[in-house]
């Protein structure tokens, strides 16, 4: 009797392993082993004024200032997908640190997603207020990643740094963050994928391409000039203006199967 | 098969235990480790530890790290270099403390006690959580001037730290989260609640007449900001030190000019041992402090309204000094559980 039970359990566990992880099912409350899972890649293509972007290349912003970037890093977090029926899938522990200097960080792999067609993708550029006030974090949110203000607790949502002959000290440094009240610089992004739905199934590995045009950080709702404002290093109005501009930099380009 | 396993298990466990006990160079804690015990006359603490459940191994590791000069860039100073236990974990006699290469900090090194009750840290309240508090002194170029990633490398390559982290957190792969968790365990358990004042509140002692008069005066003239029993309400106030404060104080964080020169109301625990006083250590004695409150307050626009009409006679100052001396917690400033383990 016992051996049958054990074997049965073993078979069950093995099949569960193949279909999905046991843990995830527990999270949803109702185990449903018949739901198939799939993956997709969120691919971030960095541009400057519509052309491929790279660090240490000369570009010109709308104010006619010459810019050479040495650092472009940002937090992309809280990724969610939505089906037409309103069902939402949210990536657990969804915190990603994207670095223009690190190709692997621009290809975010998402897994364990229930199969189906999704028409909306949303995410934050920034870190939700909860994680800004919850003490020592790990992984992408580890303070050792140098995206955390030690003296004025909170995450730096994005860093744009580089050199410019027009900047008073020859360089510009924008460290943008702030999660409270009028200084809130968290940017919520919503893209609809009606043109081509994101089709998740176990046999496909679709990609969602987001274009990030860095020039928009300078030329958007607000005009940012490195001569007039070379440094931002704390939450406040300047950081909020930069977050408005950077919000406009993210555009859904296409989805492919 | 099963039988062999049964034989092996205690052996493996035994060898592990042996390894740990051999490598243990820390003196054991005195008494049984009980985690955070809330004194019965204290409110509930702010810090609830979350996933950072305090353990004897975690606390001991935090203590060792607190006194570890490896955490500074050139290995010259530790947290304990500017926070001396015998001075209530302040830096006695120093208006500003020396960081690496003799650089001076910008504000007086604060006393440390009852940090689990703190809603914010630093004189300007810029730090919002005990776990991330140490990042500022560790990385500030005027203090320990080291990067977290470099600290992690040094600890990982050290002969004992990987085992101590394993014992505390179940992994010898050292992360900044576990580094900060260990420091938070140590700091949060630094509870000072055994002064004569505490004994009075708990009905275990009586005050002398001058002490009693001092307490009455304190409750009448000071306790609205230095709220009992933690002796601070953690608000930010301008106490009229200057007509125009060069140090923005709270305004450094809020960018509001109305917060210029406002600093967090400090706790007065162990105050007799934490000289010099104020955010810039401008007063060397408590008498000078009381003289300031008695007749030295400048009517700056941001002045705390409570201070506008404050007066203190000479006899009142004497009585207050008697009361302030009851705030010394001799058990706290001599407790070997908070001392440098290398010196025990």
């Amino acid at each position: 009797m016992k051996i049958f039970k054990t074997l049965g359990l073993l078979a069950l566990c093995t099949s569960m392993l193949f279909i999905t992880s046991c843990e995830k099912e527990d999270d949803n409350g109702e185990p449903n082993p018949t739901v198939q899972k799939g993956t997709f890649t969120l691919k971030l293509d960095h541009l400057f004024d519509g052309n491929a972007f790279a660090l240490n290349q000369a570009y010109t912003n709308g104010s006619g200032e010459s810019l050479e970037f040495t650092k472009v890093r940002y937090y992309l977090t809280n990724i969610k997908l939505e089906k037409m029926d309103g069902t939402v899938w949210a990536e657990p522990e969804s915190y990603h640190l994207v670095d223009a200097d690190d190709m692997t960080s621009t290809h975010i792999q998402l897994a364990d997603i229930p199969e189906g067609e999704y028409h909306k993708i949303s995410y934050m550029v920034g870190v939700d207020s909860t994680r800004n006030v919850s003490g020592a974090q790990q992984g992408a949110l580890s303070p050792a990643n140098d995206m955390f203000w030690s003296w004025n607790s909170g995450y730096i949502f994005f860093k744009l740094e580089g050199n410019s002959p027009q900047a008073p000290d020859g360089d510009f440094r924008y460290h943008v963050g702030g999660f409270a009240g009028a200084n809130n610089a968290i940017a919520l992004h919503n893209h609809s994928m009606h043109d081509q739905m994101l089709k998740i199934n176990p046999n496909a590995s679709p990609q969602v391409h987001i274009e990030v045009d860095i020039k928009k950080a300078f030329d958007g709702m607000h005009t940012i000039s490195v001569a007039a404002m070379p440094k931002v290093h704390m939450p406040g109005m300047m950081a909020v203006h930069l977050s408005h501009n950077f919000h406009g930099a993210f555009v859904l380009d296409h989805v492919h199967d | 098969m099963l039988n062999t396993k049964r034989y092996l298990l205690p052996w493996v466990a035994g060898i592990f235990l042996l390894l740990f006990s051999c490598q243990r160079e820390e003196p054991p804690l005195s008494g049984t480790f009980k985690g955070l015990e809330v004194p019965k006359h204290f409110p509930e603490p702010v810090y609830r530890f979350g996933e950072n459940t305090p353990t004897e191994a975690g606390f001991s590791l935090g203590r060792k790290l607190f006194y570890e000069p490896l955490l500074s860039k050139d290995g010259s100073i530790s947290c304990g270099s500017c926070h001396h236990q015998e001075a209530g974990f302040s830096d006695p006699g120093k208006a500003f403390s020396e960081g690496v290469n003799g650089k001076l900090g910008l504000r007086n090194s604060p006393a440390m006690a009852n940090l689990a009750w703190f809603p914010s840290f630093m004189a300007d309240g810029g730090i919002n959580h005990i776990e991330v508090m140490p990042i500022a002194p560790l990385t500030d170029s005027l203090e320990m001037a080291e990067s977290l990633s470099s600290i992690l490398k040094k600890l990982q390559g050290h002969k004992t730290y990987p085992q101590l982290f394993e014992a505390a957190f179940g992994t010898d792969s050292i992360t900044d989260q576990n580094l900060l968790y260990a420091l938070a365990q140590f700091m949060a358990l630094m509870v000072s609640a055994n002064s004569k004042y505490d004994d009075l509140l708990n009905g275990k002692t009586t005050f002398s007449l001058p002490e009693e008069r001092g307490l009455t005066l304190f409750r009448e003239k000071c306790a609205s900001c230095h709220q009992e029993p933690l002796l601070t309400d953690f608000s930010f106030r301008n106490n009229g030190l200057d007509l125009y404060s060069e140090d923005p104080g709270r305004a450094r964080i809020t960018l509001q000019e109305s917060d210029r020169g406002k600093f967090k109301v400090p706790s007065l625990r162990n105050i007799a041992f934490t000289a010099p006083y104020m955010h810039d250590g401008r007063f060397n004695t408590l008498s000078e402090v009381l003289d300031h409150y008695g007749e030295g307050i400048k009517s700056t626009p941001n002045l705390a309204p409570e201070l506008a009409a404050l007066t203190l006679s000479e006899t009142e100052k004497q009585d207050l000094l008697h009361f302030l001396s009851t705030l010394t917690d001799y058990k706290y400033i001599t407790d070997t559980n908070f001392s440098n383990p290398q010196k025990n």
Side-chain angles (χ1 to χ4, degrees), chain A residues 142-211:
Chain A
S142 156
N145 288 334
D146 209 20
M147 294 290 280
F148 187 82
W149 279 306
S150 64
W151 58 281
N152 190 357
S153 304
Y155 284 93
I156 298 169
F157 302 162
F158 63 90
K159 277 187 178 180
L160 303 176
E161 294 181 14
N163 302 311
S164 167
Q166 280 80 25
D169 297 333
D171 66 329
F172 62 92
R173 249 179 299 171
Y174 299 138
H175 294 183
V176 173
F179 55 90
N183 292 339
N184 190 341
I186 299 169
L188 290 168
H189 292 263
N190 259 300
H191 304 291
S192 79
M193 302 181 284
H194 289 125
D195 294 346
Q196 193 183 7
M197 304 275 252
L198 175 62
K199 298 182 199 83
I200 301 290
N201 71 67
N203 308 313
S205 44
Q207 294 194 346
V208 174
H209 282 253
I210 308 273
E211 290 188 337

Side-chain angles (χ1 to χ4, degrees), chain B residues 3-19:
Chain B
N3 279 337
T4 328
K5 262 188 192 162
R6 274 192 193 145
Y7 265 109
L8 270 176
L9 202 68
W11 278 101
V12 172
I15 287 163
F16 260 102
L17 279 173
L18 206 64
L19 274 174

Side-chain angles (χ1 to χ4, degrees), chain B residues 13-283:
Chain B
I15 287 163
F16 260 102
L17 279 173
L18 206 64
L19 274 174
F20 281 120
S21 55
C22 289
Q23 270 153 0
R24 189 187 182 110
E25 53 174 36
E26 302 302 291
L29 299 179
S30 68
T32 318
F33 182 79
K34 297 195 191 94
L36 181 63
E37 291 187 292
V38 178
K40 62 173 184 279
H41 58 300
F42 274 27
E44 282 301 303
V46 169
Y47 184 46
R48 311 312 296 249
F49 294 94
E51 290 168 13
N52 186 24
T53 308
T55 60
E56 181 163 355
F59 172 88
S60 300
L61 172 58
R63 175 177 67 169
K64 188 174 165 66
L65 290 165
F66 185 85
Y67 291 104
E68 179 55 77
L70 263 185
L71 302 194
S72 63
K73 188 172 187 68
D74 59 3
S76 63
I77 55 171
S78 70
C79 308
S81 303
C82 302
H83 297 284
H84 298 260
Q85 184 179 18
E86 68 277 11
F89 290 95
S90 70
D91 202 358
K94 302 229 178 91
F96 301 108
S97 301
E98 269 182 40
V100 298
N101 300 321
K103 286 183 182 163
L104 289 183
L106 299 174
R107 290 183 185 137
N108 183 245
S109 171
M112 298 169 68
N114 303 332
L115 302 177
W117 283 263
F118 277 44
S120 71
F121 297 85
M122 300 304 183
D124 57 25
I127 299 176
N128 67 18
H129 199 287
I130 193 171
E131 289 168 6
V132 296
M133 202 291 304
I135 304 171
L138 289 171
T139 60
D140 191 318
S141 64
L142 302 178
E143 300 188 47
M144 296 165 82
E146 186 55 293
S147 71
L148 288 176
S149 47
S150 170
I151 289 170
L152 296 178
K153 267 188 218 125
K154 286 193 269 186
L155 294 177
Q156 195 70 63
H158 190 268
K159 65 182 191 304
T160 48
Y161 276 111
Q163 281 95 29
L164 295 173
F165 273 86
E166 166 97 48
F169 300 109
T171 167
D172 64 0
S173 166
I174 301 175
T175 64
D176 51 349
Q177 186 181 50
N178 287 341
L179 165 76
L180 296 168
Y181 274 1
L183 284 167
Q185 288 192 27
F186 176 62
M187 292 190 298
L189 267 48
M190 290 167 70
V191 178
S192 171
N194 289 292
S195 65
K196 190 174 182 186
Y197 159 77
D198 294 295
D199 286 347
L200 181 89
L201 292 187
N202 290 321
K204 288 199 251 171
T205 191
T206 51
F207 269 8
S208 71
L209 279 176
E211 288 168 349
E212 212 172 289
R213 287 197 301 268
L215 174 61
T216 307
L217 274 167
F218 177 79
R219 286 182 169 159
E220 186 188 318
K221 302 196 174 193
C222 317
S224 62
C225 299
H226 294 287
Q227 207 174 81
E228 297 183 73
L230 296 168
L231 305 170
T232 169
D233 65 353
F234 303 104
S235 66
F236 302 92
R237 312 276 183 141
N238 184 317
N239 61 348
L241 291 171
D242 302 294
L243 274 177
Y244 179 83
S245 181
E246 293 296 334
D247 187 330
R250 180 67 177 156
R252 182 189 185 212
I253 303 302
T254 63
L255 301 177
Q256 301 296 313
E257 215 30 42
S258 57
D259 284 333
R260 177 167 289 276
K262 287 186 184 172
F263 298 92
K264 187 162 70 205
V265 173
S267 171
L268 303 180
R269 289 187 168 272
N270 304 303
I271 189 104
F273 290 86
T274 65
Y277 304 103
M278 304 297 146
H279 66 276
D280 54 2
R282 66 175 66 191
F283 298 137

